[in-house]
Amino acid sequence: MVLGIDFGSTTTKIVLMDGINVINKYRIEKEDSIEDILNELDLGAVSKIVTVGTGASYIDGNIRGIETKNVSEFQAVALGGHYLSGLDECLVVSLGTGTSFVYVNRDRYEHTGGCGIGGALLASMARYAGMADVNEFLELAVNGDINNSDLLIKDISKTNVGELLGNVTVANMAKITGDSKREDYAYGACNMIFQNIGVMAALADRTYETGKIVIMGSIGESEIAKQCFNAVGGLFGCDFIVPADAVYGVAIGAVLVEAGYVNNFGVYGAPMDEVDYMFE
């Protein structure tokens, strides 16, 4: 079996896989020790450890005497999104500390770009509101009201603007003041982050026209994130999909790179007519 470890700046995700099957999953917050998790695992059955993420660059040599290999993060994002979604092609959004966009189909993957908006900004805005728990902040946002946080088209125009309806945001958090309710501030902050990531993803997808945008990452699984992404999807005519185990997608993708699933992509050297595809 293979252990996949995604070293994020705030959270470490671990998956234990047998071939392409996920056996177990673990999530470690920054204050926890990965050594404690490894102590709880039966590493006797683990033949290899595959690492990914910026934090993996600090791993020197093998872990616990087990062969350890680092793989490309964008490759892992592509394979993880392809595998978890079951789609022939899609745009994968890796929503972590920052955000990256990767297009993937059966032939190839392509890193299309990224931005610095992501979990780190969300955590900072939560702390500014006096909340150290990001999940609590995400839950608070569900009770907020966009009419109290954002400047909308209907606030400045009596009619729709082209195809844009009155409830479309003109300026994020433009109505937030020192007297705003915490719920409205939380909603405005979350909407600003998820809405803008969603818009960038939808624009990136125009090059490929998949109409399918797969979200991976822990905060992307939140109810408020899904609400914001779905609103963007309705505006741009695309589907935002948060697959099961989205938080572990990159760790799963890292194992798939090493497990040979990468050969499903002809760009890596295997002629397309000689490849067996998982999703046929």
Side-chain angles (χ1 to χ4, degrees):
M1 289 193 287
V2 178
L3 201 66
I5 307 178
D6 174 16
F7 288 96
S9 63
T10 56
T11 309
T12 297
K13 284 76 65 176
I14 302 175
V15 293
L16 180 64
M17 296 180 64
D18 184 3
I20 61 172
N21 299 309
V22 178
I23 305 301
N24 220 329
K25 300 163 288 188
Y26 311 88
R27 182 174 170 178
I28 310 169
E29 300 304 324
K30 189 173 183 179
E31 62 270 16
D32 296 329
S33 169
I34 189 172
E35 292 297 326
D36 293 337
I37 296 296
L38 292 175
N39 287 337
E40 296 177 8
L41 300 178
D42 179 10
L43 297 178
V46 175
S47 60
K48 183 178 293 186
I49 296 175
V50 184
T51 63
V52 69
T54 53
S57 63
Y58 295 96
I59 302 297
D60 185 18
N62 294 331
I63 297 175
R64 300 287 179 91
I66 300 171
E67 180 186 356
T68 302
K69 181 178 180 180
N70 181 247
V71 299
S72 162
E73 182 163 0
F74 298 135
Q75 225 174 24
V77 168
L79 288 172
H82 190 255
Y83 172 80
L84 290 178
S85 69
L87 296 170
D88 284 345
E89 68 169 350
C90 58
L91 186 85
V92 185
V93 178
S94 181
L95 179 48
T97 303
T99 303
S100 62
F101 307 102
V102 183
Y103 166 75
V104 62
N105 64 17
R106 291 184 174 190
D107 296 325
R108 62 191 177 91
Y109 79 92
E110 183 174 316
H111 175 223
T112 69
C115 67
I117 301 175
L121 176 59
L122 183 67
S124 294
M125 299 193 79
R127 287 194 298 270
Y128 186 78
M131 303 175 69
D133 190 333
V134 171
N135 290 322
E136 184 181 353
F137 190 68
L138 291 166
E139 292 172 4
L140 182 68
V142 175
N143 297 315
D145 187 344
I146 193 173
N147 293 286
N148 298 330
S149 65
D150 290 9
L151 183 69
L152 307 175
I153 284 180
K154 66 182 180 182
D155 295 322
I156 59 176
S157 175
K158 291 183 178 181
T159 61
N160 298 334
V161 178
E163 298 177 352
L164 303 179
L165 303 180
N167 62 349
V168 171
T169 295
V170 174
N172 292 105
M173 301 187 73
K175 295 178 183 175
I176 295 297
T177 69
D179 297 324
S180 295
K181 294 181 179 180
R182 297 177 76 203
E183 292 86 349
D184 294 331
Y185 169 81
Y187 181 93
C190 290
N191 185 54
M192 177 182 68
I193 291 168
F194 297 127
Q195 183 185 78
N196 281 282
I197 288 172
V199 168
M200 283 186 279
L203 292 176
D205 189 56
R206 283 187 171 178
T207 301
Y208 310 100
E209 298 183 337
T210 72
K212 304 293 182 182
I213 299 174
V214 177
I215 305 295
M216 296 202 300
S218 56
I219 60 175
E221 292 183 318
S222 65
E223 182 59 34
I224 186 63
K226 293 175 183 177
Q227 288 181 20
C228 296
F229 285 134
N230 286 337
V232 174
L235 187 63
F236 283 86
C238 56
D239 295 326
F240 283 83
I241 302 157
V242 182
D245 292 334
V247 64
Y248 301 99
V250 180
I252 291 171
V255 175
L256 294 176
V257 170
E258 194 60 21
Y261 183 82
V262 70
N263 288 329
N264 282 292
F265 300 90
V267 71
Y268 295 108
M272 294 303 296
D273 57 357
E274 295 181 9
V275 177
D276 292 324
Y277 296 111
M278 177 171 295
F279 299 121
E280 285 187 334

